[in-house]
Amino acid sequence: MTTRTKRAAFMQRLGFDRNIPTVAIINMSDVARNRQVEKMVNALQKQLDEDFTPAWGLQAKLVFNEEPLLSMKIFIKDKASEEDKSYLGYHFRDGLPITYVFAKDDIDSKGEFSTTLSHELLEMLADPGVNLYALGFYRDKADKRRQAFVSYEVCDPVEASSYRIDGVPVSNFVLPEWYEPEHEDGSMQMDFLGRVHSPFKLAPGGYMDAYWNGKIKTIWGPEAARKRRRHRKDRRSGYNDGDLRLAGMRAKR
């Protein structure tokens, strides 16, 4: 068996290619037209190539209405089911990176869904296993820093801000430096659009999940829409908290 064949077999066991993954975007919605979604896919590929990859070093190839063997998947549907109605998108099922975007729900709430599609895509690429954290802090109501593990949800902290590529609204995202607590407040730009300039700082409308002492809590920024969460908190809540607590104890030494 050649090295290439071995690698292909290994990637097949993983379910997706972790090096340069293919992301299949599948339109199952009645309100979203294929031509409209295809334009979004082209804009998102440009966002990856020109904005996200230079910042994060993460690449991906997007395909529309195809399902290659080793691909992550994003399904666009009209509405969330009753049990998922408080989420406009969620990320992980049956051990595979699968994202759902609910076009009609988003259109009803804010007039478009391409920013959600961008949001879900970038976060899936940054942490496909929904298991990455940075040891940092959150700010309490008195603006005091509280040590915690902060999840790698790269769009949540700047959730309310977006920009356009070829007329298509796409999501803002934080830069890797946002997860580095050693930087002084105000020392550098911490997100693509320059909304925040301090590590672990939340932009208006943003939020983040912080884990400490066996609990995950959502920290809300000013003006955040608390009923419109788009994160993977349920998945993270299923992990063994002892591992993270032990890691925290080691980090203090």
Side-chain angles (χ1 to χ4, degrees):
M1 184 180 292
T2 66
T3 300
R4 179 175 296 182
T5 303
K6 289 180 179 178
R7 182 178 183 279
F10 177 67
M11 288 299 173
Q12 187 167 0
R13 290 196 300 273
L14 285 177
F16 63 98
D17 189 335
R18 292 177 183 267
N19 185 25
I20 305 178
T22 298
V23 181
I25 299 178
I26 312 298
N27 185 23
M28 303 175 65
S29 167
D30 292 327
V31 301
R33 302 301 183 185
N34 281 339
R35 182 177 297 180
Q36 175 190 19
V37 177
E38 190 170 16
K39 181 180 179 180
M40 293 178 187
V41 172
N42 291 335
L44 293 179
Q45 185 69 69
K46 186 175 289 188
Q47 182 185 30
L48 289 177
D49 296 342
E50 298 181 3
D51 303 337
F52 193 70
T53 296
W56 279 92
L58 299 170
Q59 306 176 67
K61 176 185 177 182
L62 307 184
V63 297
F64 177 56
N65 278 354
E66 303 176 27
E67 295 189 52
L69 178 62
L70 302 179
S71 63
M72 301 179 178
K73 294 179 178 61
I74 299 177
F75 293 98
I76 301 173
K77 303 178 72 174
D78 280 337
K79 297 178 67 67
S81 60
E82 184 65 22
E83 68 231 29
D84 295 318
K85 64 181 181 180
S86 62
Y87 296 84
L88 295 182
Y90 53 96
H91 306 249
F92 217 72
R93 276 196 171 182
D94 300 326
L96 294 171
I98 298 175
T99 298
Y100 294 83
V101 171
F102 305 106
K104 190 175 188 306
D105 286 349
D106 249 3
I107 291 171
D108 290 345
S109 66
K110 63 178 184 177
E112 52 86 14
F113 67 92
S114 61
T115 53
T116 298
L117 185 59
S118 171
H119 181 127
E120 303 303 307
L121 171 66
L122 299 184
E123 291 191 340
M124 186 170 67
L125 292 175
D127 184 11
V130 203
N131 56 7
L132 297 181
Y133 293 82
L135 181 58
F137 56 86
Y138 66 91
R139 295 171 173 84
D140 63 17
K141 293 182 179 179
D143 205 33
K144 183 176 181 180
R145 295 184 177 189
R146 302 288 185 179
Q147 189 177 52
F149 290 96
V150 178
S151 59
Y152 264 73
E153 305 293 342
V154 299
C155 296
D156 289 352
V158 290
E159 211 257 358
S161 56
S162 62
Y163 61 106
R164 290 178 178 269
I165 296 178
D166 296 335
V168 176
V170 298
S171 178
N172 188 17
F173 56 91
V174 297
L175 303 177
E177 290 79 8
W178 189 85
Y179 291 95
E180 299 171 354
E182 63 268 22
H183 298 299
E184 295 183 4
D185 289 349
S187 62
M188 65 179 66
Q189 182 173 323
M190 295 284 178
D191 67 293
F192 183 74
L193 293 180
R195 298 292 191 267
V196 291
H197 293 80
S198 301
F200 306 106
K201 186 74 172 180
L202 299 177
Y207 55 90
M208 70 180 189
D209 290 333
Y211 185 104
W212 198 250
N213 289 333
K215 296 181 180 179
I216 295 179
K217 63 185 301 182
T218 300
I219 311 300
W220 301 99
E223 305 172 23
R226 300 194 177 206
K227 293 184 179 180
R228 296 182 60 254
R229 298 177 299 180
R230 292 183 289 187
H231 54 55
R232 301 176 280 188
K233 186 176 181 180
D234 286 346
R235 174 72 183 184
R236 293 184 185 279
S237 298
Y239 290 125
N240 187 311
D241 65 328
D243 294 338
L244 283 174
R245 192 182 299 117
L246 179 59
M249 294 171 60
R250 290 172 175 168
K252 291 179 182 179
R253 294 177 182 174

